[in-house]
Amino acid sequence: KAGGGLGPWTTGLSYAASTSSAWVLLGFTGMVFTQGLVALWLVPGIFGGYMMTWLVMGPRLNAETRERGHITVVDFLVADAGRWARMIGVVAAALILFCFVFYIAAQFQAAGNALTEVFGMSATEAILLGAAVILIYCLLGGFLAASITDALQAGVMVLACIIVPIAAVSAAGGMGGVIEALQSTVPNSYLSLTGGAVGMAGIGAAMGLLGTGLGALGQPQLLNRIMAVRSQKERVRGAAITIGWGVLIYSGLVVLALSGRAMALETGGESLFFAAARAYLPAALAGIVIAAVLSAVMSTVDSLLLAAASAVSHDSGVKWRTHGQALLMGRLAMVGVAVIAVGLTLYAPKDIFTRVLFSWVALGAAFGPAILTRCLGWQVRGGAVLIAVIAGFAIAVGAYNIPGPGAEMIEKWGSWVVGFIILAVGRSKG
């Protein structure tokens, strides 16, 4: 439930922990480790998403939630959609469930990796155990409980993102040693902000990563936090807390990735965090690192599963006979999404970063333009909102399955441009 009256620290840290999940600790770090400085274009995109959601969209989201009693971000999306509201809600619920399966599968993969590192169990056993623990944890709590635990987990994550990079850079002889080693061992493309690409190809590489930040504008599990903050003043404080937390996290992970590459640490990229902890930390501190990864997983999965439950019990437009029935169906949706995600993780494995990116971008393209324009005061006819949601999602998913930088530009930016055009055409004259 969005209208829960959260304080700035709980809101800011739970938002941060939910957005910077295992894909940041493992996926982003692995990307910098393997691809080099070109991966840094992702960072201003992510921080741009922070600023847009908290400071541009936040005032309207927060104020209208208090005035009209919105429970989810889909309530906000359909508030003035008239006879189209129910259809938009059904489509939105379906898209949320579809995308969250992929997002949660990536988190289960990360949990499996962490448990495998600690206990040496098989990947299947680790994924099943991790999924079971996380699902039980989510079924026992609600929105407020998830937000508070996410805030606590954010503290564990930032601690790990300070300890491990400091240990790694110290082992490499300081930042001077890291830079010197990189200059003498890596190809020139690694130290290029375009990954060695030139002209339009270089611009396309940068814009593709920058466009990832747009996804934040359409994530229900994040926007629900902003809707729930107690006041506009505390919303601004929450934004500052999220941004400050992000500075610590991303700075630490970039330093860790570059230090690991300079030291030629043997790792598959997305296991860099574990490899560095084992190599440079005492066993007790290495345990904290594993806890940080599991915290990142739980802080994201609980938010996703709660949003999935809300999609079925509230956003779908189904008139449940009783509150208890709605609650039961929401919990069954949690279990169903979790089971499908486990199957996807076990039988269709993919790297964490790619899987998260797919669902993140698709949801952002579906909901982002419609929510943003409504926050800016546009009055758009319900039919146009529905078409924009479907078109943005379809373009993002279609372009994702086509290789090449041109398709990536269409996926990240073209889907938004089409959405804005449809919304502009459907804008009410009054």
Side-chain angles (χ1 to χ4, degrees):
K1 183 179 186 299
L6 300 180
W9 281 98
T10 300
T11 308
L13 289 178
S14 65
Y15 177 105
S18 295
T19 188
S20 299
S21 59
W23 78 268
V24 174
L25 294 187
L26 305 183
F28 171 71
T29 313
M31 187 180 181
V32 178
F33 178 84
T34 55
Q35 298 184 26
L37 299 188
V38 65
L40 300 187
W41 284 107
L42 190 69
V43 177
I46 294 298
F47 279 85
Y50 287 171
M51 302 284 276
M52 288 293 293
T53 53
W54 279 100
L55 303 179
V56 176
M57 299 165 68
R60 177 75 181 267
L61 280 169
N62 188 246
E64 189 171 309
T65 295
R66 291 201 305 274
E67 290 170 8
R68 301 173 69 168
H70 296 323
I71 294 176
T72 68
V73 74
V74 176
D75 286 343
F76 177 83
L77 180 64
V78 304
D80 295 324
R83 62 189 178 88
W84 294 96
R86 184 169 183 179
M87 180 61 71
I88 295 170
V90 170
V91 170
L95 297 186
I96 288 169
L97 293 174
F98 177 81
C99 289
F100 280 3
V101 165
F102 294 91
Y103 207 143
I104 292 170
Q107 307 308 311
F108 286 165
Q109 180 67 60
N113 292 351
L115 293 171
T116 299
E117 289 287 332
V118 177
F119 301 110
M121 59 180 65
S122 71
T124 300
E125 292 172 335
I127 289 167
L128 290 174
L129 176 61
V133 170
I134 293 167
L135 180 59
I136 292 169
Y137 156 86
C138 294
L139 287 171
L140 293 176
F143 179 77
L144 179 59
S147 297
I148 293 171
T149 52
D150 285 355
L152 296 174
Q153 289 157 2
V156 177
M157 291 163 64
V158 79
L159 182 64
C161 289
I162 292 173
I163 292 173
V164 181
I166 288 176
V169 78
S170 297
M175 283 308 298
V178 170
I179 294 170
E180 184 179 339
L182 290 174
Q183 289 175 335
S184 61
T185 59
V186 300
N188 291 335
S189 61
Y190 187 88
L191 298 175
S192 166
L193 284 172
T194 61
V198 295
M200 291 303 296
I203 294 173
M207 291 297 290
L209 288 169
L210 276 172
T212 303
L214 289 172
L217 281 63
Q219 304 300 316
Q221 74 279 13
L222 302 182
L223 299 179
N224 282 346
R225 258 75 178 179
I226 298 174
M227 292 168 68
V229 72
R230 276 193 298 253
S231 67
Q232 297 291 1
K233 181 179 179 180
E234 293 187 331
R235 175 186 54 79
V236 174
R237 289 177 60 197
I241 291 165
T242 295
I243 293 167
W245 188 92
V247 168
L248 291 174
I249 290 287
Y250 282 93
S251 299
L253 293 180
V254 169
V255 168
L256 171 60
L258 296 179
S259 299
R261 185 62 183 254
M263 296 286 286
L265 201 60
E266 292 187 8
T267 173
E270 289 193 344
S271 59
L272 170 64
F273 211 75
F274 302 126
R278 285 198 308 269
Y280 307 128
L281 293 177
L285 286 179
I288 293 177
V289 169
I290 305 302
V293 175
L294 291 173
S295 292
V297 170
M298 289 191 292
S299 66
T300 298
V301 173
D302 61 13
S303 299
L304 297 175
L305 288 178
L306 285 169
S310 295
V312 171
S313 64
H314 182 76
D315 297 332
S316 64
V318 177
K319 302 298 183 183
W320 306 108
R321 288 194 298 271
T322 65
H323 175 72
Q325 186 184 41
L327 185 63
L328 174 62
M329 296 308 297
R331 288 184 171 175
L332 289 176
M334 279 191 184
V335 175
V337 168
V339 169
I340 296 171
V342 168
L344 198 63
T345 308
L346 293 175
Y347 300 110
K350 213 173 186 71
D351 65 271
I352 295 167
F353 187 85
T354 300
R355 189 156 269 163
V356 169
L357 202 61
F358 166 74
S359 57
W360 176 271
V361 172
L363 270 183
F367 301 139
I371 296 173
L372 175 59
T373 51
R374 194 165 186 282
C375 287
L376 295 176
W378 288 26
Q379 294 183 6
V380 181
R381 290 185 288 274
V385 171
L386 178 62
I387 295 170
V389 167
I390 295 172
F393 176 81
I395 292 169
V397 172
Y400 170 83
N401 290 292
I402 301 172
E408 186 173 2
M409 289 289 287
I410 293 172
E411 177 193 5
K412 305 283 181 61
W413 296 96
S415 56
W416 275 72
V417 170
V418 171
F420 277 131
I421 291 173
I422 293 169
L423 294 166
V425 171
R427 190 174 182 182
S428 301
K429 291 285 191 285

